[in-house]
Amino acid sequence: MWHYLKFFNFYIAVLLGLSSIWLGNYFIVYGYALYLALYILGDALLGDDISEPPLLNQRLLRYMLYGAMPIAIMIYLSALWLVLPFQSTTGQWIMSNLPLYFVNAKLDTSWWQLVIAVPFLGLMLGGVATVVAHELVHKIGNPIAVAVGRWLLAFSFDANFSIEHVYNHHIKVATPEDPATAPRGRNVYVHFVKAFTGTQKAGWQIEKKRLERKSISIYSWHNAFLRGWAMSIILLTLAYILSGVFGALMFVAVGLSAKFTLEIVNYMEHYGLVRHPKQPVRPRHSWNSNRRVSCWTMFNLPRHSHHHAQGAVPFEKLKAMPDSPEMIGGYISTMAIALIPPLWFKVMEKKPGTLGCEFCQQRGIRNN
């Protein structure tokens, strides 16, 4: 039972994190600091988990994944609560039904504490919504799973991840044609811009070709790419209805923060690794991590080498593959280093390369 329960830890952590959001004021700062410290220290002190237990209870596994939706909605509403104007109809109703303590806590929260709340909420949203959605959109034979995954991704303006990630990234990973793979020497901030624009362009082209093969108009409701953006617009409109202009701005800020978190993860999972486009994707074409807390928190996503070697394998069956290229640490600590480009480059220069091929030299690709 422990091997099932360990994957619920992140939901518990998010609920605790949201409690600090609702308590407001300095609790937001303390909650964020504690949140980061627990995951960084947990990975540093608890080491690796290379266990591969058989998890056969499919009902419980489904509860694990679909439970992300109500928690993502809680994150969404908590973000709107922070900027909710009390003079609005929604604000008046909440004031009359919520304990006075929470109302006063919101009033005592300063602007700079709201600023800190944005990456805090974005990190929680990325962990709950994006990570689980990544698992769901890979279940391409299950339309319900894909639909739920796309709605989870819509909170971070990324429903079309379900198109680009499955049908482009997994095919072109570790090649110059993959916008999610950062070549050596590119910093994470440049990568975010290039990855965001590149994945949107790739997603559009994939959907365009699909509809053209079926002789269906590109500019119609059949276009999943357009529907993906419509899903985020619906959430944005609802944020405006509930919390006004500041609610809409908060939704955008938290959503982009969660999207940035995703691209940091993509950056560190594939940075500097190269392969010939005609070569099959191997475990050595992704950075891997078996750190306990990261794997338990992210439904084994850090076991990325196996995931890319066999993209259809569900999270509970991913193998540790300890001989794959090893990430420099747990996910949160590695993210922190990636945000400081000079430090990142210095650390990654010491990492051995996984492929040195004539093709890469001809194309001017520098492998680490």
Side-chain angles (χ1 to χ4, degrees), residues 124-270:
M124 289 190 287
L125 182 64
V128 167
T130 308
V131 170
V132 174
H134 169 266
E135 180 70 21
L136 292 175
V137 299
H138 269 286
K139 300 179 184 297
I140 55 178
N142 185 338
I144 294 177
V146 174
V148 173
R150 279 169 61 82
W151 273 108
L152 286 169
L153 289 161
F155 286 103
S156 56
F157 304 97
D158 209 19
N160 294 316
F161 174 92
S162 65
I163 302 171
E164 190 281 331
H165 179 83
V166 176
Y167 301 105
N168 189 68
H169 173 60
H170 269 261
I171 297 169
K172 299 179 179 179
V173 65
T175 73
E177 285 71 36
D178 176 33
T181 297
R184 187 181 180 195
R186 178 190 292 174
N187 71 59
V188 70
Y189 304 102
V190 172
H191 177 70
F192 173 71
V193 176
K194 288 183 175 293
F196 186 87
T197 56
T199 54
Q200 293 300 313
K201 180 179 178 181
W204 171 259
Q205 290 299 325
I206 291 168
E207 191 63 5
K208 180 173 179 287
K209 290 178 182 178
R210 183 184 74 86
L211 293 174
E212 286 176 344
R213 285 196 301 269
K214 296 183 175 183
S215 299
I216 298 175
S217 173
I218 300 170
Y219 302 101
S220 69
W221 192 246
H222 295 284
N223 190 322
F225 184 91
L226 295 178
R227 290 203 310 272
W229 275 103
M231 292 157 74
S232 292
I233 292 172
I234 289 171
L235 293 172
L236 176 62
T237 303
L238 181 59
Y240 175 78
I241 292 171
L242 293 175
S243 290
V245 173
F246 288 110
L249 291 174
M250 188 60 141
F251 172 74
V252 171
V254 172
L256 289 179
S257 178
K259 173 62 175 171
F260 183 54
T261 300
L262 167 65
E263 294 306 343
I264 300 174
V265 170
N266 269 333
Y267 177 80
M268 63 198 212
E269 286 172 341
H270 303 290

Side-chain angles (χ1 to χ4, degrees), residues 55-56 58 300 303 306 313-319:
L55 301 180
L56 305 177
Q58 291 299 312
N300 277 339
R303 294 184 173 185
H306 187 194
V313 173
F315 81 91
E316 71 274 11
K317 295 182 180 180
L318 291 175
K319 298 186 180 299

Side-chain angles (χ1 to χ4, degrees), residues 3 58 74 76 97 123 195 199 232 244 264:
H3 290 292
Q58 291 299 312
M74 289 177 65
Y76 172 75
N97 290 277
L123 184 61
T199 54
S232 292
I264 300 174

